[in-house]
């Protein structure tokens, strides 16, 4: 479906809030740029495209999305490269994934060209919000939710799609202590685990709270059937260095198809690291730890970036990984990704999209 971007109405803020932001010290997810893009779906099509000041929205209590979980989202980032140009990292992959999530949740897809144009306009208007310091980025949160005012359990006929943005630093600021979860489940086969659906995150809060009460930051999820195989961790995919190989579980309907995950695997293969996408049991992790072959473990995600795992707790015992400063593999990958994102090396994968 082609979109007609000329129909975006623009209402600018009277006074920008940008002066209130300390760009040298940006937490994740607390600062929001001046404007947002909004589109509404009704009578089988998207319309009423507008960029308006970031702010509250009025809803009726019976709005479907608030009751039965028809809400999906994406997370992506824009960077200012060393020449000052604003570059997005693989935005089309994110919008394609938004549409895959939409299909799984019985929601309408939205044309990728429309989303790209909307994002371009939005970033142009709020370009001063893209941080100039490296290690920071403009986080972009596209999301969609059901807006019918109706209490029957059925797919909504009306939806809203919003893109808002905000400068962010890394989601995790210290190496992570993660706990292998062998009771609760994030996703089961045939469920919604591979969709970026709000409910997947809501359902994780309680087990995560229990793990945090034991002193961990996040959960290392295992399969719902036997709690034997590693799936993903908290808000990110997870990878291990066992011996010289980079090992990660394959995605399927219980694991999110992470775009950072895919990028890390491609980059690792490109720099000559052996990459192994296969099921990994908790027992294998334990054995690798005991034999000194578990050399690195880290989470990967848009918000998380490359998040080192300091220790893995399993049934009351902690497996302590080598000090982060000694880990070569995740360091090389993290630096390799940064060099591409900030335009310090040629983008040999074609991942970066200029927003200027
Ligand atoms: C992201 O990495 O962008 C995510 O969507 C994780 C989010 C739950 C913070």
């Amino acid at each position: 479906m082609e979109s007609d971007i000329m129909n975006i109405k623009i209402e600018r803020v009277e006074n920008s809030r940008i002066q209130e932001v300390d760009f040298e010290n940006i937490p994740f997810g607390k600062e929001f740029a001046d404007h947002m893009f909004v589109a509404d779906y009704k009578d089988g099509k998207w319309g009423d495209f507008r960029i308006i000041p970031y702010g509250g929205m009025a809803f009726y209590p019976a709005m479907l999305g608030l009751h039965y979980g028809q809400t999906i989202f994406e997370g992506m980032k824009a960077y200012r490269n060393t020449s000052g140009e604003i570059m997005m990292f693989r935005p089309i992959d994110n919008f394609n994934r938004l549409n895959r999530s939409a299909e799984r949740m019985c929601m309408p897809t939205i044309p990728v060209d429309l989303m790209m144009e909307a994002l371009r306009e939005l970033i142009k208007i709020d370009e001063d919000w893209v941080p100039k310091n490296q290690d920071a980025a403009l986080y972009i949160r596209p999301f969609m939710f059901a807006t019918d005012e109706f209490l029957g359990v059925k797919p909504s006929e009306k939806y809203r799609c919003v893109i808002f943005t905000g400068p962010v630093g890394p989601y995790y600021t210290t190496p992570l202590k993660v706990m292998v979860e062998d009771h609760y489940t994030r996703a089961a086969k045939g469920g919604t685990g591979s969709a970026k659906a709000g409910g997947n995150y809501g359902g994780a809060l309680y087990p995560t709270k229990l793990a945090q009460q034991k002193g961990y930051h996040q959960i290392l999820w295992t399969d719902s059937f036997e709690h034997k195989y590693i799936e993903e961790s908290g808000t990110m995919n997870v990878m291990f260095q066992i011996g010289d190989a980079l090992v990660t579980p394959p995605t399927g309907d219980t694991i999110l198809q992470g775009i950072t995950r895919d990028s890390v695997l491609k980059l690792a293969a490109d720099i000559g690291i052996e990459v192994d996408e296969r099921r990994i049991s908790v027992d294998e992790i334990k054995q690798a730890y005991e034999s000194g072959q578990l050399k690195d473990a880290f989470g990967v995600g848009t918000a998380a970036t490359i998040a080192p795992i300091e220790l893995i707790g399993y049934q009351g015992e902690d497996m302590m990984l080598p000090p982060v400063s000694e880990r070569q593999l995740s360091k090389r990958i993290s630096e390799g990704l940064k060099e591409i994102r900030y335009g310090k090396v040629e983008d040999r994968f074609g991942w970066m999209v200029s927003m200027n």
Side-chain angles (χ1 to χ4, degrees):
M1 201 196 316
E2 291 296 307
S3 55
D4 178 4
I5 207 61
M6 300 315 288
N7 286 335
I8 292 189
K9 289 191 209 92
I10 297 180
E11 179 196 334
R12 286 174 184 265
V13 290
E14 282 177 15
N15 296 305
S16 171
R17 289 174 285 101
I18 199 163
Q19 304 304 338
E20 296 162 21
V21 180
D22 173 7
F23 276 88
E24 293 309 312
N25 211 341
I26 322 176
F28 180 88
K30 289 196 172 159
E31 306 286 0
F32 305 109
D34 285 327
H35 298 90
M36 61 185 177
F37 167 80
V38 183
D40 286 318
Y41 181 89
K42 67 172 183 192
D43 301 328
K45 56 179 195 295
W46 288 101
D48 200 5
F49 307 125
R50 55 220 191 259
I51 289 178
I52 55 177
Y54 174 85
M57 292 177 168
F59 300 122
Y60 291 100
M63 190 179 80
L64 265 185
L66 295 175
H67 297 267
Y68 308 129
Q70 262 193 312
T71 75
I72 55 172
F73 69 96
E74 271 303 320
M76 53 219 276
K77 280 179 176 168
Y79 302 85
R80 197 181 288 277
N81 73 14
T82 44
S83 333
E85 200 179 352
I86 297 173
M87 306 293 291
M88 291 277 318
F89 187 73
R90 306 185 67 176
I92 292 170
D93 296 281
N94 283 92
F95 287 134
N96 281 329
R97 189 174 63 185
L98 184 76
N99 281 335
R100 289 199 300 277
S101 299
E103 272 165 23
R104 178 63 184 84
M105 298 304 291
C106 228
M107 298 165 83
T109 56
I110 186 157
V112 171
D113 69 321
L114 163 68
M115 292 301 265
M116 283 303 291
E117 285 295 332
L119 188 54
R120 243 175 236 290
E121 281 298 309
L122 186 63
I123 290 186
K124 201 159 49 170
I125 291 178
D126 281 337
E127 67 176 324
D128 292 344
W129 287 82
V130 183
K132 297 190 175 57
N133 47 333
Q134 297 193 357
D135 288 333
L138 187 76
Y139 187 76
I140 292 143
R141 174 52 65 91
F143 72 113
M144 193 197 291
F145 53 97
T147 53
D148 273 5
E149 198 191 348
F150 178 60
L151 283 186
V153 181
K154 71 172 217 9
S156 184
E157 288 172 12
K158 296 196 286 308
Y159 295 86
R160 177 163 292 178
C161 180
V162 179
I163 309 178
F164 67 92
T165 75
V168 294
Y171 190 89
Y172 298 110
T173 50
T174 55
L176 298 173
K177 300 177 175 41
V178 300
M179 188 194 88
V180 175
E181 178 60 67
D182 57 4
H183 174 71
Y184 293 99
T185 291
R186 175 187 172 275
K189 277 198 188 311
T192 59
S194 67
K196 230 163 155 53
N200 290 340
Y201 296 79
L205 295 176
Y206 180 68
T208 306
K209 182 178 90 173
L210 297 183
Q212 286 169 351
Q213 284 168 352
K214 293 183 185 153
Y216 300 94
H217 298 104
Q218 273 297 347
I219 278 174
L220 195 50
W221 294 106
T222 52
D223 68 283
S224 63
F225 190 55
E226 299 175 277
H227 291 297
K228 191 171 160 191
Y229 294 96
I230 307 281
E231 300 237 301
E232 56 178 79
S233 178
T235 59
M236 53 204 183
N237 294 109
V238 68
M239 299 192 175
F240 303 91
Q241 183 189 355
I242 300 179
D244 290 331
L246 177 65
V247 191
T248 194
T251 57
D253 59 359
T254 60
I255 298 184
L256 188 79
Q257 278 180 11
I259 290 153
T260 311
R261 173 189 179 281
D262 179 71
S263 311
V264 167
L265 295 182
K266 292 196 166 112
L267 182 64
D270 185 69
I271 57 184
I273 295 166
E274 181 190 337
V275 169
D276 209 356
E277 263 185 279
R278 62 169 169 81
R279 296 185 93 188
I280 312 159
S281 67
V282 183
D283 279 348
E284 181 184 346
I285 294 291
K286 252 181 91 178
Q287 279 162 20
Y289 172 71
E290 280 158 9
S291 64
Q293 292 300 298
L294 183 62
K295 298 190 174 151
D296 203 342
F298 50 98
V300 297
T302 301
T305 63
I306 306 290
I309 291 174
E310 180 185 331
L311 66 82
I312 302 172
Y314 181 49
Q315 296 183 336
E317 294 204 4
D318 287 340
M319 297 178 256
M320 193 72 201
L321 277 100
V324 174
S325 58
E326 286 172 17
R327 301 195 202 168
Q328 295 308 317
L329 190 141
S330 50
K331 202 159 135 198
R332 274 175 77 195
I333 287 172
S334 175
E335 280 167 8
L337 275 180
K338 269 192 201 159
E339 284 172 352
I340 293 175
R341 285 175 172 149
Y342 292 101
K344 292 182 182 164
V345 297
E346 186 207 344
D347 172 19
R348 54 200 186 280
F349 302 98
W351 287 335
M352 305 309 294
V353 176
S354 171
M355 298 311 272
N356 289 83

